Amino acid sequence: MGPNVDRRPPVMADVARLAGVSHQTVSRVLNDHPNVRAETRTRVLRAIDQLGYRRNLVARALVTKHSRTLGVVSFDTTLYGPASTVYGIEQAARDAGYFVSIVSLRTIDRAGVNDAIGYLAEQGVDGIVVVAPQRSAARALDDLPAGMPAVAVEGWHQGDVSVVSVDQVEGAKLATSHLLDLGHETVWHVSGPADWLEAEGRIEGWRAVLTAAGRPIPDMLTGDWSPRSGYQAGKQLAAMAGDVTAVFVANDQMALGLLRAFTEEGVKVPEQISIVGFDDIPESEFFSPPLTTIRQDFGAVGRRSIDVLLRQIESGGALPHERLVVPPQFVLRASTAVAPR
Amino acid sequence: MGPNVDRRPPVMADVARLAGVSHQTVSRVLNDHPNVRAETRTRVLRAIDQLGYRRNLVARALVTKHSRTLGVVSFDTTLYGPASTVYGIEQAARDAGYFVSIVSLRTIDRAGVNDAIGYLAEQGVDGIVVVAPQRSAARALDDLPAGMPAVAVEGWHQGDVSVVSVDQVEGAKLATSHLLDLGHETVWHVSGPADWLEAEGRIEGWRAVLTAAGRPIPDMLTGDWSPRSGYQAGKQLAAMAGDVTAVFVANDQMALGLLRAFTEEGVKVPEQISIVGFDDIPESEFFSPPLTTIRQDFGAVGRRSIDVLLRQIESGGALPHERLVVPPQFVLRASTAVAPR
DNA sequence: TCCAAAGATGTTAACGCTAACATCATCCGG
DNA sequence: CCGGATGATGTTAGCGTTAACATCTTTGGA
């Protein structure tokens, strides 16, 4: 209606003119300032509606110094763990009225993480979450821009940054103890890649339980989290069937690979070998046999990390750094049984 | 060194002062403007380095009207498909020098998608990718803010928006034909939920092949993409073993559920029943038996969608809308065999 | 009834940057 | 050796918003 064929979108001044008020009053209406007459408010609202006005958050951010945007740096968001964590982060952030700008690293190294953090800082994010599961990446948090609120997820850190993570050591202990409780003499371990903090934590927990029980610590096999690497480890372990009666695998995907290898080699799970995984991906319950595993509540980790970050932002950075641990949960299914013979 | 304990970060003017030039010259250096003397450039660069200056992209965006940020609206980025697509999008965007701001919807409906698009528009994104696998969501693209470049991924659309997607119908045909070629009389189908465009496309392809071959079209079972729903469908199908010899399942996760149900019921795959899945998730190769499936190249979809979107942005919106189709790929593994008897 | 306090609105000045134009120094060919 | 073209730099004016202050209008109690 009308010759309203302006090419560029309306701005506050346009709304103000149409409503017959000053642009500041429009701003007040938009920001729920109390001192605006009800009648004026509705007049402004009507004008906004009529023009299809949308405020320009970029201009707002320039003056307020807050973009209400959070940065997230992550690694391979294709994997179930990172994907779920980032999802939890995004949900929690949006519930709190924040946007999320994501940088997904292809390879993770200190320089890459640093670059990502730098970009996000230029972009004016109010805070940064680094999903830093590797030692090298975690170290990048040492040279964060001054005054930038940040939180590390699944990271390890001694320095001055808050950390939220699942208790990997505890999870590994749960898994290993369960197998020992079933009467197995000892427990083998297929670990994740060396540089990963989660892999280290799981190794630590596994070793601790074995040591405490005075059991021999078998040679460790190392995978790369992929089903294929688990399959390869499985082939090796199958060759030792008889010696090996229980395996704690560092994640469910590798456990699937083991299961496949054992099936091919005619090794029965759990009759001959018991297996415990880690993560509890949605598929695990339907493996053959259904996988006993350790559940990580990634969603909770994401949410808690946003809690911590927002608290830090709102406190103006005057808050002590926190270390928040989310407990893992043991999930009993059908891939474990009492030791044979 | 020195009393440089200013609380707030340095701005261009600070750099200019230190380098003994005007702020505009600093801007020129930062934007690689040619007309700057080499000596001046290095002086400015040194000053930038010394102060630890980072440019403020918010201020820049305000004047240039470009934020170099792309918005992504997606649904449940926890699933392998959306997660991989979004990952591809993010990588391609960053390679092109763009940031990505993500909104992950919990539930997908027209209003939700519209809100998300609205938020992103206020935030000043240069374009929007909507991963809209559901009819209701795809329709939200009808009321996009005027002049906002956009592309729908895995979406269906007649209107004026570009679409990038995998050819679902073709994929389903590949799967169904393969089973027919193995001598099966007909092929059963476990579909995805009704409102999903992918589910519809797969049903269409399945029906088309059966119809063309003059085969009876069995009653369709419907799942919700989850392994559990596949498990339930599997239980039903197992009860009909003998009648049922071939099943095309709309995704790999449900196929896993079928496999589990069949194992429990003593139905042998592929000896008694052949199964073809869809997606080719990383786990499929290690199912028991390894799953014959249709691979979707989600990464390619993500990349192509960014290609299309950037072309649209750079052309100033004067470009015709494209419809880009990524072909699916048949992956033969061990879950299919010639029909029994 | 009058005045101070509170409420409603307007005016002006940033925020940090780039675009556009202005100015000065330098270069080269006739 | 001069004058216009070119290169190098500076100056000014916004971008669209909120903060801070100024102004005018109400309101309520002595």
Side-chain angles (χ1 to χ4, degrees), chain B residues 2-325:
Chain B
N4 184 18
V5 272
D6 251 350
R7 264 288 151 264
R8 65 158 192 10
V11 299
M12 231 176 224
D14 299 324
V15 176
R17 200 171 313 117
L18 181 59
V21 297
S22 77
H23 64 116
Q24 182 61 256
T25 298
V26 178
S27 171
R28 288 193 181 100
V29 170
L30 250 25
N31 295 301
D32 289 313
H33 191 97
N35 292 353
V36 178
R37 203 148 44 100
E39 193 267 334
T40 308
R41 183 183 306 276
T42 60
R43 196 144 38 88
V44 169
L45 255 20
R46 189 159 28 233
I48 286 177
D49 201 62
Q50 190 174 333
L51 293 177
Y53 168 78
R54 310 218 66 135
R55 62 182 152 187
N56 181 332
L57 294 183
V58 171
R60 196 240 271 273
L62 181 59
V63 42
T64 62
K65 314 273 192 195
H66 301 300
S67 60
R68 291 201 80 81
T69 296
L70 265 23
V72 175
V73 181
S74 180
F75 170 71
D76 197 349
T77 43
T78 270
L79 300 171
Y80 179 71
S84 304
T85 307
V86 169
Y87 184 71
I89 288 172
E90 201 275 334
Q91 299 295 318
R94 192 144 43 81
D95 286 347
Y98 281 80
F99 288 96
V100 167
S101 196
I102 293 196
V103 179
S104 253
L105 269 11
R106 254 175 282 246
T107 62
I108 207 159
D109 53 66
R110 189 165 177 167
V113 175
N114 258 325
D115 280 359
I117 291 177
Y119 290 141
L120 291 171
E122 287 187 343
Q123 210 203 8
V125 298
D126 294 344
I128 295 181
V129 182
V130 180
V131 183
Q134 288 180 267
R135 249 211 161 67
S136 46
R139 256 192 289 264
L141 287 166
D142 285 334
D143 24 44
L144 220 49
M148 172 67 78
V151 54
V153 171
E154 292 300 339
W156 143 93
H157 208 254
Q158 5 247 34
D160 38 22
V161 81
S162 294
V163 178
V164 176
S165 62
V166 170
D167 191 338
Q168 306 293 339
V169 177
E170 176 61 19
K173 286 181 176 172
L174 254 25
T176 312
S177 305
H178 167 67
L179 291 167
L180 253 32
D181 289 348
L182 286 171
H184 295 273
E185 169 60 20
T186 189
V187 176
W188 291 64
H189 182 46
V190 178
S191 80
D195 192 40
W196 287 65
L197 300 162
E198 281 133 322
E200 291 177 13
R202 290 170 203 175
I203 292 170
E204 183 186 333
W206 165 68
R207 280 230 179 84
V209 168
L210 252 32
T211 304
R215 304 302 171 81
I217 298 184
D219 285 344
M220 190 176 79
L221 306 190
T222 301
D224 63 6
W225 302 130
S226 74
R228 177 169 308 279
S229 68
Y231 176 79
Q232 285 155 355
K235 287 286 188 178
Q236 292 181 49
L237 290 168
M240 302 186 284
D243 285 353
V244 179
T245 68
V247 185
F248 164 43
V249 186
N251 79 340
D252 287 358
Q253 293 207 336
M254 291 197 295
L256 175 64
L258 257 78
L259 249 21
R260 177 69 205 145
F262 288 175
T263 300
E264 285 183 8
E265 301 300 325
V267 175
K268 290 226 186 305
V269 177
E271 292 80 2
Q272 292 172 265
I273 300 189
S274 288
I275 296 183
V276 178
F278 209 109
D279 280 354
D280 195 26
I281 62 177
E283 287 86 358
S284 303
E285 188 181 349
F286 298 91
F287 286 176
S288 290
L291 189 68
T292 293
T293 190
I294 307 295
R295 178 178 303 156
Q296 304 200 69
D297 190 343
F298 294 109
V301 169
R303 287 191 299 276
R304 305 301 291 274
S305 66
I306 290 298
D307 289 349
V308 171
L309 185 58
L310 290 184
R311 222 177 297 139
Q312 215 166 113
I313 290 172
E314 274 146 28
S315 80
L319 226 58
H321 298 286
E322 310 181 45
R323 166 149 204 99
L324 227 152
V325 172

